[in-house]
Amino acid sequence: MSSHTLPARSTEQARALRTLAAGPLLVLPNAWDAGSAAVIAAAGAPAIATTSGGVSWSAGRGDGHGLDRAAMAEAVRRIVAAVDVPVTADIEGGYGAAPEDVAETVRAVVAAGAVGVNLEDSTAPGGPLFTAEEQSARLRAARAAAVAAGLPELLVNARTDVHLFGVGAAADRPAEVLRRAGAYAAAGADSLFVPGLLDLGALAALTAAAPLPVNAMAVAGGPTVAELAAAGVRRISLGTALAQSAYAAAHRAAVELLGPGTLGALDGALDFGTLNALVGGR
């Protein structure tokens, strides 16, 4: 997509997302389809992040490049169309190892209306990781593709899986994350996502030293939003947690219906009219 065909809405929303990201804290609930995005926006989310795992599950595939580039971009398009807030897309590892693969993916999701991307440095689920130099080349390709597509404001969140997948000796991981943060910042990343790191002391040390704002992934039973913010975290997301919760609710209700035949698990559900209006009223 060239700059003259890019909708003005994309530039406006990219700037809005950047303004949100520049604030003290951006909390991004993760959507996996148009309906979940509409519900999350109605809850007051100022922006929405997608979750590759949730999107893949909703299509009957597993996470970790279970969907291809075209299918993921189409899912992003439906999510963008369902809401008025900015959407940042989880593009996993870019759907290919080469910088040009990442560039093609960025072009696809920008064309779909996304104004941010989340690009991870794992070569596959569980690792190993691309070297910092390899990932930097991929990040530069993402930035160049966004510029060429007419969206230089695209927000690039560089995810490092050093902690998530326990790469290297535990004592070496903080330094490795900082080394990667410096390289990724130089390559054009706007923020650093470090899933798997929830130790508040370690997060505080990272946020104090990193050249990029730090994004953490909150989990059930882990630190609260307020605690993460106090440690200097500037962006918080949930990964697949909301999708897992929604599927758990469906499972509980089905078990109850098929077992005792009661319907208590349906208490508190969004009523039909509300949900229909949120999703179908556009």
Side-chain angles (χ1 to χ4, degrees):
M1 175 179 284
S2 61
S3 60
H4 70 275
T5 62
L6 188 70
R9 178 179 188 252
S10 290
T11 299
E12 293 165 2
Q13 292 208 326
R15 289 173 178 166
L17 183 60
R18 284 190 167 273
T19 297
L20 290 167
L25 182 66
L26 174 59
V27 179
L28 287 169
N30 300 84
W32 60 95
D33 61 10
S36 61
V39 168
I40 290 166
I48 287 172
T50 71
T51 161
S52 66
V55 171
S56 297
W57 296 337
S58 72
R61 303 298 295 271
D63 192 17
H65 290 197
L67 292 182
D68 61 16
R69 176 186 295 114
M72 188 62 74
E74 176 59 22
V76 169
R77 185 196 64 76
R78 290 192 296 268
I79 288 170
V80 168
V83 297
D84 293 322
V85 299
V87 174
T88 177
D90 179 354
I91 60 171
E92 304 188 73
Y95 304 101
E100 178 50 35
D101 294 321
V102 175
E104 186 173 348
T105 299
V106 167
R107 289 191 290 268
V109 296
V110 166
V115 296
V117 294
N118 186 85
L119 179 67
E120 61 200 46
D121 58 10
S122 296
T123 63
L129 308 188
F130 289 102
T131 67
E133 294 71 26
E134 289 168 340
Q135 185 67 359
S136 293
R138 287 156 42 82
L139 287 163
R140 286 193 295 271
R143 175 61 65 205
V147 171
L151 194 66
E153 302 91 346
L154 182 81
L155 191 74
V156 178
N157 191 34
R159 171 176 142 177
T160 182
D161 289 337
V162 169
H163 286 284
L164 184 64
F165 297 139
V167 175
D172 297 335
R173 289 172 199 158
E176 177 61 15
V177 169
L178 278 176
R179 185 178 77 87
R180 287 177 178 267
Y184 297 171
D190 296 297
S191 53
L192 181 73
F193 182 23
V194 192
L197 180 62
L198 287 172
D199 178 274
L200 294 173
L203 273 171
L206 174 61
T207 60
L212 293 169
V214 172
N215 177 185
M217 184 169 70
V219 301
T224 65
V225 166
E227 289 170 334
L228 290 170
V233 171
R234 297 271 301 281
R235 171 170 160 167
I236 298 170
S237 54
L238 291 175
T240 58
L242 279 182
Q244 289 172 254
S245 179
Y247 288 127
H251 182 262
R252 281 194 301 270
V255 167
E256 183 183 358
L257 179 67
L258 296 168
T262 53
L263 304 171
L266 300 181
D267 290 347
L270 281 174
D271 68 82
F272 178 89
T274 297
L275 189 55
N276 200 53
L278 286 175
V279 178
R282 297 178 61 79

